[in-house]
Amino acid sequence: MSFKQVQPHEVAALIPNGATVVGNGFTMMGVADEIYLEIEKSFLSKGVPNGLTFVHAAGQSNRIDGLARLAHPGLLKRVVGPHWGLNPPMANVLGADEVEAICLPQGQISTLYRTIAAHRPGQLSTVGLGTFVDPRHDGGRINDSAKAATASDEYVSLMELDGKEYLFYKSFPLDVAIIRGSRIDPDGNMSQEDDVTILDNLAIAQAVHNNGGIVIAQVKEIVERGDIPAREVEVPGVLVDYVMVTSDPAKYHRQTNASIEVNWDLITGYASPEELGQALLSHELEPTRVAIGERGAKLVRDGDIINLGTGLPGDSIGRALAVSGQIANITLTVESGTYGGVPLGVVDFGCALHPAAIIGHPQQFDFYNGGGVDITFMGVGQVDGEGNINVSAFAGKAIGCGGFMDIVDGAKRICFLMVADSKHPKWVPAVDQLTFYGKAALDKGQEVYLATEHYLVQLTDEGWVVLEVDDNDAARATASQVITKK
């Protein structure tokens, strides 16, 4: 064998104290959960490994398992990632300033793996300009310990090229890769045919290998040479150093959180637009959320390529398009790399039933960053009269921006969805954290809307303008109270 096989109890000892570790995964898809468990067990019983910097390009938890297992001060020194909304243990640790927190956009981390692998110094992007990622603000440092320990431009600096401003996302060394596959042969060639997403395995393995680090793979089984066709190899054997066969695939090698072993007829089987519409309409949805989705979906045009954010957009927009009959004339996409089908939500966000195509995580963000999305629908935490949005920090918890910044930066049209009658005030004088900079979007010529159960508004240079409001006094009063001018 070209790799060394290790048992679960041996895997944590492979990771040096103080190493920079990078792991693959999205919700619970592609997550090497048993390796995370063994690292946690080793730290709690022996105190090692410790002082780790952990890097991840997407949230990897179902609130309990996955990356939530590593939420221990001391085990972690620093986390560099995009989102912890489905990882309360990590959000609390970072929010309490017990571990340094660097929040960078999901797509920039995902594509940076390839930049690191190629030994390029970094990558230029307009993603994050004017937000908390901009070094003129916090440079992605979202707690005091990170601000004290790192220079504001350690991960991101500001550059000008041909008179235009960009953020320069810098390359940095990666020491240990934790990846996951379905099968591996004696030469280390690893497949992912059982996974519902492709994600970042290859780029992570290349980046760590080219940095002189080690690549650890969790797999379900070791097969004979020739059992994996060359076209099904996702990570070639020259990149894999250690292999751990999971002790319990049903428990530690989930394909999604809800379904341990995926029904591949649902994932890859064809479904007609009518069948997709029936699937989208089969789930009960609270009337307020239905109304918001239907109002926002009026902005959709035939032929649109649509991105759906998690939460309210994922719950309501597909359903609304099924009701209107437009589902046959558009393409729904999710940042994990799916096209078409019925996107799932919450801890299964990133997976779709009956997708037309599944591509890699970095390739999806190349598409998004380059303007491939006609309209994106995103949720709202806070909004102000300037058109600024916060989705990343609330009540002392580090939520993070996820793929939000990458997607809204490239989309031609942006529609934020929000419950107006929320128990938590959404309209504020100034947002707590700047995740979306309204002026920058207008300067780029993007169309920006916000839809609620009562009204639809559009952001202009003069502030928010009412386009549509329910025909009753209460709705008109609500709209007039929250629409603030500059």
Side-chain angles (χ1 to χ4, degrees), residues 266-284:
L266 290 178
I267 297 300
T268 59
Y270 172 76
S272 68
E274 293 74 21
E275 291 170 325
L276 291 177
Q278 291 172 3
L280 287 161
L281 292 171
S282 66
H283 301 289
E284 291 294 326

Side-chain angles (χ1 to χ4, degrees), residues 150-171:
T150 66
S152 63
D153 64 352
E154 181 165 351
Y155 291 94
V156 189
S157 62
L158 182 69
M159 295 185 66
E160 186 174 302
L161 182 65
D162 295 333
K164 185 176 179 180
E165 289 184 341
Y166 294 89
L167 295 186
F168 184 67
Y169 291 87
K170 298 182 178 182
S171 293

Side-chain angles (χ1 to χ4, degrees), residues 47-198:
V48 292
N50 59 56
L52 304 180
T53 293
F54 197 93
V55 182
H56 61 107
Q60 301 178 20
S61 183
N62 60 358
R63 300 190 177 100
I64 299 170
D65 303 321
L67 197 52
R69 300 186 189 278
L70 304 189
H72 298 286
L75 192 166
L76 297 177
K77 172 188 175 183
R78 180 183 301 171
V79 172
V80 181
H83 192 255
W84 307 280
L86 293 176
N87 189 347
M90 192 69 77
N92 292 335
V93 164
L94 300 181
D97 207 16
E98 297 177 297
V99 173
E100 297 167 21
I102 307 292
C103 183
L104 302 179
Q106 179 175 333
Q108 296 310 301
I109 299 177
S110 176
T111 53
L112 192 61
Y113 295 148
R114 297 183 302 181
T115 296
I116 294 170
H119 282 187
R120 292 188 287 266
Q123 58 196 35
L124 290 171
S125 178
T126 57
V127 172
L129 278 171
T131 73
F132 72 87
V133 175
D134 192 316
R136 290 170 292 191
H137 296 280
D138 294 318
R141 302 170 302 156
I142 61 172
N143 60 15
D144 290 340
S145 60
K147 293 173 186 178
T150 66
S152 63
D153 64 352
E154 181 165 351
Y155 291 94
V156 189
S157 62
L158 182 69
M159 295 185 66
E160 186 174 302
L161 182 65
D162 295 333
K164 185 176 179 180
E165 289 184 341
Y166 294 89
L167 295 186
F168 184 67
Y169 291 87
K170 298 182 178 182
S171 293
F172 53 91
L174 300 170
D175 304 314
V176 178
I178 297 174
I179 62 174
R180 194 188 90 174
S182 303
R183 300 183 296 162
I184 199 163
D185 70 19
D187 295 319
N189 298 304
M190 190 184 81
S191 68
Q192 287 183 249
E193 71 269 25
D194 291 343
D195 283 336
V196 297
T197 47
I198 298 171

Side-chain angles (χ1 to χ4, degrees), residues 254-447:
R254 301 173 186 165
Q255 305 308 311
T256 69
N257 183 69
S259 176
I260 306 305
E261 292 298 329
V262 167
N263 180 341
W264 280 98
D265 287 339
L266 290 178
I267 297 300
T268 59
Y270 172 76
S272 68
E274 293 74 21
E275 291 170 325
L276 291 177
Q278 291 172 3
L280 287 161
L281 292 171
S282 66
H283 301 289
E284 291 294 326
L285 194 62
E286 196 270 328
T288 296
R289 299 171 83 82
V290 171
I292 296 169
E294 291 180 351
R295 177 161 274 133
K298 293 178 183 178
L299 298 170
V300 172
R301 304 165 187 168
D302 283 354
D304 274 353
I305 299 171
I306 302 170
N307 165 267
L308 297 181
T310 188
L312 180 53
D315 291 345
S316 65
I317 292 298
R319 187 185 192 284
L321 294 171
V323 170
S324 70
Q326 279 185 286
I327 195 69
N329 304 319
I330 55 86
T331 301
L332 299 177
T333 73
V334 178
E335 63 211 57
S336 59
T338 66
Y339 286 74
V342 182
L344 302 182
V346 198
V347 291
D348 287 321
F349 179 67
C351 179
L353 304 182
H354 304 292
I358 302 172
I359 69 172
H361 197 207
Q363 288 81 12
Q364 185 75 312
F365 275 103
D366 287 342
F367 180 71
Y368 285 170
N369 291 163
V373 168
D374 295 300
I375 184 167
T376 182
F377 293 90
M378 290 287 178
V380 173
Q382 294 175 319
V383 55
D384 66 24
E386 303 285 327
N388 301 319
I389 305 285
N390 172 28
V391 300
S392 51
F394 307 97
K397 293 184 179 181
I399 304 301
C401 57
F404 176 98
M405 286 188 187
D406 296 275
I407 298 164
V408 298
D409 184 76
K412 300 177 181 70
R413 308 191 309 280
I414 304 162
C415 182
F416 295 104
L417 303 183
M418 184 181 85
V419 178
D421 294 336
S422 172
K423 62 181 179 179
H424 301 293
K426 297 287 189 177
W427 288 91
V428 295
V431 297
D432 292 344
Q433 189 169 78
L434 194 60
T435 329
F436 174 80
Y437 185 31
K439 182 179 183 304
L442 293 181
D443 289 346
K444 290 170 61 176
Q446 293 174 293
E447 298 177 26

